[in-house]
Amino acid sequence: MSTPESDFQWYVVQCFTGREKSVKDRILEKVKELGLSHKISEVLVDLETVTEMRRGSKVTREVVRSPGYIYVQAIYDEEVKNTVTDVQDCIRFLNNERDHSAPKPVRPEQMKRILNAVQDNEEIAEKGGVVSIPFKVGQSVKVTRGSFKDFEGVVDEVFQNSMRLKVLVNIFGRNTPVEVDVEEVESI
């Protein structure tokens, strides 16, 4: 029994924050167990891969872009509603609270943006992820390595792509811009 792809629509499902991946896995397990793949075709968690600098080393992790929500592609009916909402840590399909009507599907153009972002993130993740530098412009830092070791300064510019900072350090009474690697500074 094959269902045309055009009958499936995307819906937003609310779940406990931090449990998005496990809710997705449980829904997929239940769909397989009950043989509902003709009604629920895909479950999506909107993730972003981020590389951060922690204690001088790069740490890559996944961050949920829409915490507390997952997306389910389904042909909505009472069976789908009960199957999804009976999963542990799943709260409900988003709908109009006032009249308790069936949920409205996500508009196709919105879902297209989300799917494109997820696909772009997968490509970025293959290249090492989006880099998150823990320093902000105006933040006081101390240089811990290199030619300017033990100098204190203020972050003037952050270069995300090259993992470098421009720091204004006081040399002979003048603020002098110095470029350093992110690993060479620590927050004061």
Side-chain angles (χ1 to χ4, degrees):
M1 180 172 152
S2 176
T3 306
E5 188 68 30
S6 61
D7 291 347
F8 286 95
Q9 294 185 309
W10 285 97
Y11 296 91
V12 179
V13 176
Q14 187 178 18
C15 61
F16 289 116
T17 303
R19 304 278 189 213
E20 297 87 359
K21 289 183 197 173
S22 62
V23 168
K24 172 189 174 180
D25 294 341
R26 288 186 191 118
I27 290 172
L28 292 173
E29 242 176 65
K30 202 161 193 174
V31 164
K32 188 175 180 183
E33 178 185 312
L34 299 174
L36 290 176
S37 59
H38 63 283
K39 288 188 177 182
I40 299 174
S41 65
E42 193 173 346
V43 181
L44 176 76
V45 178
D46 189 8
L47 296 173
E48 178 178 33
T49 305
V50 176
T51 303
E52 299 176 319
M53 294 303 298
R54 289 193 184 162
R55 295 187 186 109
S57 62
K58 290 182 184 180
V59 177
T60 302
R61 63 186 181 100
E62 289 185 323
V63 177
V64 179
R65 267 192 272 235
S66 44
Y69 299 96
I70 61 173
Y71 301 91
V72 176
Q73 188 179 33
I75 299 171
Y76 185 84
D77 63 10
E78 206 59 34
E79 185 179 23
V80 168
K81 175 189 170 202
N82 292 334
T83 301
V84 171
T85 56
D86 284 350
V87 168
Q88 181 182 343
D89 297 331
C90 183
I91 300 171
R92 64 189 172 102
F93 276 89
L94 284 190
N95 64 354
N96 187 343
E97 292 278 332
R98 293 188 197 124
D99 62 9
H100 299 287
S101 61
K104 288 191 171 120
V106 178
R107 290 193 317 266
E109 61 273 7
Q110 274 184 309
M111 205 59 220
K112 188 175 181 182
R113 277 198 310 267
I114 292 166
L115 291 169
N116 286 340
V118 169
Q119 185 178 4
D120 290 347
N121 178 61
E122 289 170 359
E123 292 169 7
I124 291 170
E126 289 172 8
K127 297 175 186 169
V130 174
V131 178
S132 174
I133 296 179
F135 301 104
K136 306 286 181 238
V137 173
Q139 183 176 355
S140 295
V141 294
K142 180 178 181 178
V143 180
T144 57
R145 292 190 305 206
S147 304
F148 298 96
K149 183 178 178 181
D150 295 328
F151 278 81
E152 292 181 5
V154 176
V155 176
D156 186 46
E157 211 172 329
V158 178
F159 304 107
Q160 293 276 19
N161 294 338
S162 61
M163 300 285 292
R164 295 182 64 80
L165 303 171
K166 184 188 289 184
V167 179
L168 296 176
V169 295
N170 192 332
I171 301 175
F172 303 121
R174 301 181 80 178
N175 280 339
T176 306
V178 175
E179 271 196 38
V180 293
D181 284 338
V182 173
E183 295 104 16
E184 294 178 354
V185 295
E186 65 183 23
S187 191
I188 302 179

